Amino acid sequence: MELAELRRIRLQVQGLREVRATSAAGVVRDFVAVQSQEFIPAQWGLAMRVPAERRPDLAGVTAALDRGEILRTHVLRPTWHFVDPADARWLMELSAERVHRANATYYRRTGVDGEAGARALDVVAASLAGGHRTRAELAAALDAAGQPSTGLGFTYVLMLAELERVAISGANVGKQRTYAAFDERVPASAPKSREAALVELAARFIRSRGPVTDRDFAAWSGFTLGDTRQAFAAVVDGDGAGGGGPVETLEIDGATYWHDTEVTASAMDAPTPPAGVVDLLQAFDEYIMGYAAPRSFLQPPGRSDPVHPEFPMHALMADGVMGGRWAPVTSGRRAVVRLVPWRALSAREERGLEASVAEVERFLGAPVTVEREPAAD
C-alpha cells in the first residue's frame, strides 16, 4: 500500500468522506474517545462527520452534551476528551491508576494527596449531590471547607474528582460549563479486567482509525508500547474483537500497520472523491491526533517537519494533506474565519474551501466574514 492510499482509506474510515455516524453522539461512540480541550472547535469536529442532511449546528451538539448523551472529562493521556456515557466508567477505571502516578508529584505540591485529597473529594461529592455546579460554585464550596480553591490546587482537585469517578461534565448554565455527579451521568456497568479493557480500547481504535501502527495507539492512549503490543496481539487472535471484523497487518514503507479487514475493504471499495476537497479541521482532530508524529501522511510535498497542532490556529486540509491554517473567531452574533493558506489553491480547491466555510457558518449559526492572508508561496 502506498502513502496516498493510506490517506484515502483513513479519510473514509474517519468519516471525513464516507459518513458512518448519524449523530454527534454516534461519532463519539465510534471513536471511543475524541480529544476535546478546545470546546467549540471540538464540537465542530463531531458535527462535520454527520451527514449533511442531519448535521447538527453548535446549539445541537451543545444540547447533546447538556442531556448527557456526550460526556467530557480528563481521561487517557490525560487531556479533555468526549466520551460516550456507556464507555466513561471503564475508560476511567483503565487509565486512572496510570494518570494518578503521573500526577503524584503535583498532588503533593498542591496539597491534594492522601487524606487531604480525600477531604477535598468529600466536599466536591457533597456539593454535586445538590445538582450540577459551575467551577465557581465548586471553588466556593472548597474554600468554605478550607480546601484548595484556586490555581493548580483547584485544578488538581477537579482532576482527582474525575479520576476517582466523583465528577464528570454536567449541563451548561448559560455559557458556563458545569460538573455533575459521576454516577448521575454514567450508567452502572460490570467491571472489566485491565487486560480486557485495554484489548477493547485497542480493537475500537484500530476499527475507527486504521490502518494504524502500534506507536499510533501508544501516542494516542498514553499506554506503553509493551501494553500496546500485547493488546494488538490479542486483538489479532480474537477475530472480531470490539465488534468489528478480523484484524490483520500490512506493510507500508517498511512499517507494520494493523487494520480491520472489513472496514478497510469498505473504504477501498468506496468511490474515490474528486480532487479538491478541502476540510477545515480543528487543531486536535482525530485525523491528526489519532496518529503519532511525524504524521507523514499529512505532510505536503517539500515539507518534512512534523505536523503539530498550533492552536488557536487549526488545520486546513486539501485532499487530506495540510494546505495551511485557519481559525474561527466568534464575537457576539458574528464570526470571522481567518484563512492562512500555505500555497495557492486550485480553482476546484477554492470551491471546496468556499463550501467548507459555508458549513462552518451554518454550524456557528452566525454570519461569517472571511479574512485571508496571501498564500505563503
Side-chain angles (χ1 to χ4, degrees):
M1 182 180 292
E2 300 294 330
L3 195 60
E5 183 68 0
L6 171 66
R7 185 184 303 119
R8 187 177 81 85
I9 290 171
R10 283 177 170 175
L11 287 167
Q12 293 283 347
V13 170
Q14 286 237 1
L16 293 170
R17 294 294 177 270
E18 183 179 31
V19 178
R20 288 165 44 196
T22 58
S23 66
V27 174
V28 173
R29 196 173 306 117
D30 281 352
F31 277 88
V32 192
V34 176
Q35 195 163 331
S36 64
Q37 64 264 50
E38 306 306 332
F39 192 53
I40 292 176
Q43 292 179 75
W44 161 241
L46 302 181
M48 68 185 300
R49 288 174 163 88
V50 177
E53 65 274 12
R54 301 189 61 171
R55 186 167 297 153
D57 59 9
L58 175 59
V61 182
T62 301
L65 282 153
D66 287 346
R67 292 191 298 268
E69 296 168 8
I70 303 168
L71 299 174
R72 185 171 182 250
T73 191
H74 286 89
V75 73
L76 298 176
R77 289 190 299 281
T79 189
W80 285 109
H81 282 81
F82 291 139
V83 296
D84 185 86
D87 293 321
R89 191 176 300 273
W90 70 264
L91 282 173
M92 196 64 75
E93 290 172 350
L94 173 63
S95 59
E97 179 183 357
R98 181 182 49 77
V99 178
H100 279 322
R101 288 199 302 269
N103 287 349
T105 298
Y106 292 97
Y107 290 158
R108 290 192 296 271
R109 288 180 182 174
T110 56
V112 298
D113 61 333
E115 292 184 5
R119 290 192 295 271
L121 288 181
D122 288 342
V123 174
V124 173
S127 182
L128 296 179
H132 299 193
R133 297 288 183 256
T134 65
R135 287 174 63 92
E137 289 170 333
L138 288 175
L142 288 162
D143 183 59
Q147 299 298 321
S149 59
T150 60
L152 274 180
F154 180 52
T155 296
Y156 277 95
V157 166
L158 294 182
M159 189 179 296
L160 184 66
E162 291 175 309
L163 294 169
E164 288 299 304
R165 281 81 80 193
V166 171
I168 201 162
S169 62
N172 285 359
V173 175
K175 293 186 177 181
Q176 295 187 71
R177 293 186 283 281
T178 71
Y179 286 84
F182 187 90
D183 288 340
E184 175 200 333
R185 305 280 267 184
V186 179
S189 59
K192 299 178 189 286
S193 69
R194 183 180 186 276
E195 179 183 8
L198 192 57
V199 169
E200 178 173 344
L201 184 64
R204 291 172 65 182
F205 177 83
I206 294 168
R207 181 172 176 79
S208 59
R209 295 165 179 83
V212 294
T213 68
D214 50 8
R215 289 184 62 251
D216 291 333
F217 180 75
W220 174 81
S221 68
F223 287 97
T224 67
L225 275 172
D227 283 335
T228 297
R229 288 164 181 162
Q230 289 182 13
F232 276 27
V235 171
V236 171
D237 289 342
D239 288 354
V247 171
E248 297 179 356
T249 61
L250 53 83
E251 299 295 315
I252 305 175
D253 290 340
T256 301
Y257 287 72
W258 283 257
H259 69 114
D260 182 303
T261 57
E262 291 182 358
V263 173
T264 300
S266 176
M268 293 180 72
D269 289 343
T272 301
V277 177
V278 173
D279 297 294
L280 298 177
L281 302 184
Q282 66 128 338
F284 302 99
D285 193 89
E286 292 298 318
Y287 183 66
I288 301 169
M289 299 306 294
Y291 310 99
R295 306 184 179 99
S296 57
F297 69 102
L298 298 176
Q299 294 169 346
R303 295 182 72 105
S304 59
D305 50 314
V307 173
H308 295 294
E310 295 180 6
F311 186 82
M313 300 302 290
H314 298 278
L316 187 158
M317 298 282 176
D319 294 323
V321 176
M322 281 291 293
R325 296 286 181 183
W326 75 289
V329 181
T330 56
S331 177
R333 296 183 178 180
R334 300 193 65 82
V336 173
V337 169
R338 180 185 171 205
L339 301 174
V340 186
W342 288 351
R343 59 171 176 80
L345 303 182
S346 69
R348 184 171 285 178
E349 288 170 338
E350 289 288 357
R351 291 193 294 272
L353 176 59
E354 183 179 354
S356 292
V357 169
E359 280 299 309
V360 170
E361 181 176 58
R362 195 188 72 79
F363 171 75
L364 294 175
V368 163
T369 300
V370 175
E371 294 180 355
R372 182 166 180 165
E373 295 187 9
D377 63 1

